[in-house]
Amino acid sequence: MHTRRHILATGLVTSLLAACSTMPSSADRPPIVFVHGNGDSAALWQTTIWRFETNGWPRDRLIALDQPMPLARDNDNVPQAGRSSPAESMAFLQGEVDRVLKATGASKVILIGNSRGGNTIRNYVQNGGGASKVSQVVLGGNPAHGIWAIPGFNEQSEFSSLSTFILRLNAPKGPNGDEVTPGVKWLTLRSDNNDKFAQPDGVWIGAPGKPTNVPYDGPALKGATNQVLQRVDHRETSFSPAAFAATWQFLTGAPPKSMDIAPESALTLDGRVTGFGLSSTDPASGQFTNNLPLVGAQVAVYATDPITGVRRGDAVHRKTVGTDGRWGPFASQPGTAYEFEVIAPGYATTHIYRSPFPRSSSVVNLRPDRILPADRDAQAIVILTRPRGYFDAQRDTMRFDGQTVLPGVPPRGAGVSSSKIKLDNGAQRAIKGEFNGERVTGLTWPAAQGHMTLLELTY
């Protein structure tokens, strides 16, 4: 896990046949549809898809979805603006699977889901007709038995073991009383004890010291092949090299030929620009993620010096985002680090820095951020973020602007995926983030003029 892996991604159903590919399609490999978790996006599957491609799975049969409203309701029985119910999430997946089957001519798909995406998959297979359209399912970090089982504590959240939704999902099925739908092959992947949402203590649900009544093996399901991955965090149950190796073995019956990603000589990058919704009751603090296109956003891409973060000349790509939300395609150079500048009304001008891309990807999703009221006294704001995993102070080697103790990262446990530094000096300078061998360097920008910096880790 501490070795940097190179990797690749594919597109959404809407770009299923548009992704540039160096590998032919193959009827021997069924389509794989990837379903992200609560509040996440298709972009998190980027490294997983790169690993599949490197091992020969055709790019046009790897489809990562963007659920429009990825956050679950607080209470499944109460409609909530900007959030989705299990039924709505299932209906979205139903439509996407049907589109994939039609586009590829395949008879069945494989579904791979992380976290909440796993319950969407289970609901679809059990209650949405998916049993006849799905051959295999892989669930990473799926809160199969909820995140808590506390009487009187938000019992109708879809993350409560006591909710009607979870109880129905886990009702005995088939002659053996399994929790999974018969006729489909199932694999669950879980952490030994490092998944923030499978903890006997309520620290990650805001109730430290209070028993959740959900054990470490909460993601395991009767009737499935249940596998434990050592020390992985909640997101790494799907997005880590270990998760890929276990998934490939389950799907093919053999280990992957390579865990290192084969680089490409010609790269095309693309993705979607999305934003944040705002709570009508408290717009300042009530923003929430969605995967709706941020129409009108302006994207500029700059090649940068990987040591200093300084731009190497003028923008190499510019685009105003249309109704499809896409900011590309962009023909990038191998081995080149890039800055993605996103300008949109109501947002900070966000400067996103990434380490060089080894392969093409159509899920390089961009999301501008807002300067929160508590940060308006800062001269510069820099966030180091790891979308495909969390920071673990006991496990990982990390450095942020020279600090080995990252602001906001607890000394124990893996439950935080970003760290923020507020600077009291507005002079522009290089700032670096490091994580287990990956290094991202950017520049600070003046917060007083509505700018902020995001150092985004790939691995």
Side-chain angles (χ1 to χ4, degrees):
M1 187 177 305
H2 291 187
T3 300
R4 176 175 172 175
R5 304 288 187 184
H6 290 299
I7 39 199
L8 157 68
T10 60
L12 310 169
V13 169
T14 54
S15 62
L16 179 62
L17 302 177
C20 60
S21 179
T22 59
M23 288 179 283
S25 177
S26 170
D28 295 333
R29 298 296 191 194
I32 300 178
V33 177
F34 298 91
V35 186
H36 62 71
N38 196 47
D40 291 331
S41 81
L44 272 67
W45 296 105
Q46 184 179 71
T47 56
T48 301
I49 299 174
W50 278 342
R51 292 186 175 100
F52 270 100
E53 288 188 345
T54 291
N55 283 275
W57 212 286
R59 179 175 295 174
D60 64 356
R61 291 195 164 220
L62 298 165
I63 304 99
L65 304 180
D66 264 325
Q67 185 171 177
M69 296 296 177
L71 283 169
R73 295 173 177 176
D74 291 332
N75 183 323
D76 185 31
N77 295 329
V78 181
Q80 191 173 4
R83 295 174 180 252
S84 57
S85 67
E88 291 165 337
S89 185
M90 180 185 73
F92 170 75
L93 180 57
Q94 279 178 316
E96 297 302 289
V97 168
D98 287 346
R99 274 189 278 275
V100 169
L101 292 175
K102 182 178 179 179
T104 62
S107 60
K108 291 189 176 183
V109 301
I110 295 167
L111 296 180
I112 300 180
N114 175 251
S115 192
R116 184 197 184 203
N119 278 347
T120 297
I121 290 171
R122 294 182 65 206
N123 196 20
Y124 166 61
V125 173
Q126 179 174 321
N127 302 311
S132 64
K133 300 176 182 180
V134 177
S135 60
Q136 293 158 290
V137 171
V138 180
L139 308 176
N142 172 222
H145 297 94
I147 298 172
W148 63 84
I150 305 173
F153 182 82
N154 200 7
E155 290 186 15
Q156 287 307 316
S157 164
E158 68 177 84
F159 301 124
S160 169
S161 298
L162 307 178
S163 68
T164 303
F165 171 69
I166 290 291
L167 292 174
R168 288 176 176 171
L169 209 56
N170 292 333
K173 294 171 258 311
N176 298 321
D178 291 339
E179 293 174 305
V180 295
T181 301
V184 176
K185 296 180 180 179
W186 298 81
L187 171 68
T188 76
L189 300 174
R190 72 168 179 90
S191 177
D192 51 354
N193 58 16
N194 204 31
D195 186 334
K196 66 183 291 186
F197 295 128
Q199 293 290 322
D201 184 89
V203 60
W204 295 112
I205 62 170
K210 186 178 184 65
T212 64
N213 301 314
V214 174
Y216 296 127
D217 66 354
L221 285 164
K222 183 180 180 182
T225 298
N226 298 298
Q227 188 165 340
V228 179
L229 305 177
Q230 300 298 313
R231 292 302 297 160
V232 299
D233 61 48
H234 178 66
R235 288 180 177 170
E236 289 172 340
T237 58
S238 290
F239 311 125
S240 66
F244 167 74
T247 298
W248 184 275
Q249 178 82 40
F250 174 74
L251 297 180
T252 69
K257 293 181 179 179
S258 176
M259 293 297 292
D260 294 320
I261 301 310
E264 290 182 306
S265 58
L267 308 184
T268 299
L269 303 179
D270 198 358
R272 302 174 70 246
V273 181
T274 60
F276 293 93
L278 287 175
S279 166
S280 59
T281 56
D282 187 7
S285 61
Q287 67 176 19
F288 53 88
T289 57
N290 63 47
N291 290 319
L292 302 178
L294 195 55
V295 179
Q298 299 176 53
V299 175
V301 184
Y302 298 86
T304 64
D305 185 302
I307 304 301
T308 65
V310 173
R311 294 172 177 174
R312 290 177 163 172
D314 296 333
V316 292
H317 176 77
R318 288 185 182 274
K319 185 173 181 179
T320 299
V321 174
T323 55
D324 63 356
R326 305 200 76 81
W327 61 264
F330 161 58
S332 65
Q333 297 299 312
T336 300
Y338 288 103
E339 170 200 344
F340 300 84
E341 179 189 68
V342 185
I343 302 173
Y347 293 85
T349 296
T350 306
H351 304 265
I352 304 170
Y353 294 86
R354 296 283 297 264
S355 57
F357 290 81
R359 293 179 64 95
S360 298
S361 173
S362 59
V363 289
V364 184
N365 288 359
L366 308 174
R367 193 190 301 273
D369 212 333
R370 292 188 173 97
I371 297 176
L372 300 177
D375 298 333
R376 288 175 182 161
D377 59 338
Q379 295 298 306
I381 302 166
V382 183
I383 297 173
L384 175 65
T385 182
R386 186 180 177 229
R388 295 161 195 89
Y390 294 94
F391 296 129
D392 188 329
Q394 294 179 300
R395 180 194 65 184
D396 302 317
T397 300
M398 303 175 290
R399 189 178 296 269
F400 186 15
D401 200 27
Q403 303 178 46
T404 55
V405 178
L406 274 57
V409 175
R412 296 177 60 86
V416 175
S417 62
S418 65
S419 176
K420 180 192 297 182
I421 288 180
K422 295 164 53 175
L423 301 173
D424 57 10
N425 188 328
Q428 191 172 58
R429 65 173 177 86
I431 188 163
K432 300 181 180 181
E434 302 178 34
F435 178 84
N436 291 344
E438 181 183 3
R439 296 175 177 84
V440 182
T441 303
L443 291 177
T444 62
W445 292 83
Q449 296 176 27
H451 293 257
M452 63 188 305
T453 298
L454 187 67
L455 307 180
E456 183 174 325
L457 294 157
T458 298
Y459 308 100

